[in-house]
């Protein structure tokens, strides 16, 4: 997996596809939140996303982990 870098405050759509056809789930840790199918990077740091498939009668359960680097949003210039 290639490293992914995003800017805090920029939401990203996620999707899960499984070989078994079962519904996959996503979970996160770090300075980010998953809401439905959207990843919301909150502040700079590293967000770890785990995709989980429950498997089926013929396909074993599986997980995949991805790391997303989050850079700080640019500071807004103050008007004087």
């Amino acid at each position: 997996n290639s490293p992914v870098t995003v800017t805090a405050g920029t939401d990203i759509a996620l999707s899960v596809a499984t070989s078994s056809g079962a519904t996959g789930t996503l979970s996160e840790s770090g300075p980010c939140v998953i809401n439905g199918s959207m990843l919301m990077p909150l502040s700079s740091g590293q967000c770890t996303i785990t995709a989980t498939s429950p498997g089926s009668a013929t396909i074993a359960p599986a997980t995949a982990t991805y790391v997303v680097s989050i850079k700080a949003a640019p500071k807004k210039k103050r008007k004087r």
Side-chain angles (χ1 to χ4, degrees):
N1 298 326
S2 300
V4 175
T5 301
V6 298
T7 302
T10 305
D11 295 353
I12 298 168
L14 302 175
S15 64
V16 179
T18 66
S19 298
S20 65
T23 301
T25 58
L26 295 167
S27 60
E28 83 290 320
S29 65
C32 59
V33 173
I34 294 175
N35 184 6
S37 63
M38 297 300 292
L39 172 68
M40 297 181 284
L42 303 175
S43 61
S44 62
Q46 291 206 328
C47 176
T48 302
I49 300 167
T50 302
T52 304
S53 169
S56 69
T58 57
I59 297 175
T63 61
T65 302
Y66 303 90
V67 176
V68 176
S69 294
I70 304 170
K71 63 182 182 178
K75 296 190 189 278
K76 295 180 180 178
K77 294 181 181 178
R78 290 185 182 179
K79 294 182 180 180
R80 294 185 183 203

